[in-house]
Amino acid sequence: MKTKRRKKLPVILEPDEAENLMRIPNKRYLSGKRNLAVLSLMLNMGLRVSEVSNLRSGNVNLTKNKLRIVKGKGGVDRDLIIPFYTNELLKAWKKVKPKSKWFFTTIKDVKRTGKAKRFNTKKGNKFSARSINFMIKRYCKRAGIKKNVSAHTLRHSFSTQFIRQGGNVIHLQKILGHASVSTTQIYITLALKDVKEAMTQFEEFKI
């Protein structure tokens, strides 16, 4: 009989690491405004990288602080409330973004040719999941974060922090778009890890 392999806990960013990461984009530039909005959306709402990349302009209502994920994982739509700070960053990006059906876009025309690379990108194209992942890894390196971070790490970080702050696991399931609450429960394990570590440092009362 095969023994069930223990599932490895996902990597997360601690609050100070997440804040350091968000300090990296330069808001004076279009790319900085866009990238900071992307980071905030993932760290403060737990969106998947594919959901950020596929987000359409028509599904973001900044006046009502609402965002709709259309055909997320499993083909299910879900509506989310945008937190205040994230909403402000999305507004700042929306004011300067190229006209496009996509909410997050490329910001300039690029044409590169050569033996190794041959590709074209046009302003207003979808900001791809691959580009978002690359941006996050690059920013993490600049922020001095040594962990093996991917775009999904930001989703894990949001989820763990949500539970740490007393959030309900059923609510988190709905926010993340998980089909089953059993998938969401790993974040309870991550949050309880803090309790275990705190208890190892607790100095007992003695007589």
Side-chain angles (χ1 to χ4, degrees), residues 167-186:
N168 183 290
V169 71
I170 301 297
H171 294 162
L172 181 59
Q173 177 198 356
K174 302 301 180 187
I175 292 166
L176 297 178
H178 285 162
S180 169
V181 73
S182 61
T183 309
T184 319
Q185 284 173 333
I186 191 167

Side-chain angles (χ1 to χ4, degrees), residues 11-23 43-44 143 145 147 153-154 156-165 190-191 194 197:
V11 173
I12 62 166
L13 296 180
E14 294 301 330
D16 60 331
E17 292 173 319
E19 287 167 6
N20 286 340
L21 177 61
M22 291 184 73
R23 289 188 185 103
L43 281 167
N44 293 316
I145 297 168
K147 296 173 179 175
T153 305
L154 275 57
H156 293 318
S157 304
F158 160 78
S159 306
T160 305
Q161 195 63 13
F162 184 89
I163 294 295
R164 282 174 176 171
Q165 293 183 21
L190 277 165
D194 294 341
E197 288 173 0

Side-chain angles (χ1 to χ4, degrees), residues 8 13 24 47 52-53 97 140 187 200:
K8 193 176 178 182
L13 296 180
I24 300 301
L47 267 62
V52 174
S53 178
K97 71 184 283 297
C140 280
Y187 301 113
T200 60

Side-chain angles (χ1 to χ4, degrees), residues 41-206:
L41 203 57
M42 299 180 79
L43 281 167
N44 293 316
M45 294 182 67
L47 267 62
R48 299 178 178 93
V49 65
S50 59
E51 293 170 344
V52 174
S53 178
N54 292 327
L55 194 60
R56 291 178 179 251
S57 298
N59 291 326
V60 181
N61 189 330
L62 299 177
T63 305
K64 294 184 177 180
N65 299 343
K66 288 183 179 179
L67 177 153
R68 171 165 286 186
I69 300 299
V70 178
K71 292 183 180 178
K73 194 173 180 181
V76 179
D77 296 355
R78 67 188 193 279
D79 293 315
L80 299 171
I81 298 297
I82 307 170
F84 177 80
Y85 176 70
T86 302
N87 195 61
E88 292 299 303
L89 295 177
L90 295 175
K91 282 178 181 175
W93 163 243
K94 187 179 180 181
K95 283 179 184 176
V96 296
K97 71 184 283 297
K99 191 175 181 180
S100 173
K101 66 180 180 180
W102 306 109
F103 191 79
F104 291 110
T105 70
T106 51
I107 54 179
K108 58 185 178 181
D109 296 324
V110 178
K111 187 175 182 179
R112 295 184 186 176
T113 58
K115 290 181 180 179
K117 295 178 181 178
R118 286 187 183 181
F119 61 88
N120 299 322
T121 61
K122 290 184 179 180
K123 183 169 69 174
N125 278 2
K126 182 198 290 189
F127 191 31
S128 70
R130 184 179 179 183
S131 296
I132 294 171
N133 243 316
F134 179 76
M135 175 267 289
I136 290 168
K137 286 181 178 292
R138 182 164 49 90
Y139 279 178
C140 280
K141 190 174 181 180
R142 285 172 60 187
I145 297 168
K146 306 296 185 185
K147 296 173 179 175
N148 184 19
V149 176
S150 69
H152 216 61
T153 305
L154 275 57
R155 180 172 162 90
H156 293 318
S157 304
F158 160 78
S159 306
T160 305
Q161 195 63 13
F162 184 89
I163 294 295
R164 282 174 176 171
Q165 293 183 21
N168 183 290
V169 71
I170 301 297
H171 294 162
L172 181 59
Q173 177 198 356
K174 302 301 180 187
I175 292 166
L176 297 178
H178 285 162
S180 169
V181 73
S182 61
T183 309
T184 319
Q185 284 173 333
I186 191 167
Y187 301 113
I188 296 176
T189 305
L190 277 165
L192 286 175
K193 195 178 168 191
D194 294 341
V195 177
K196 289 177 186 175
E197 288 173 0
M199 283 305 296
T200 60
Q201 296 169 23
F202 179 73
E203 292 187 14
E204 297 174 87
F205 295 105
K206 298 173 183 174

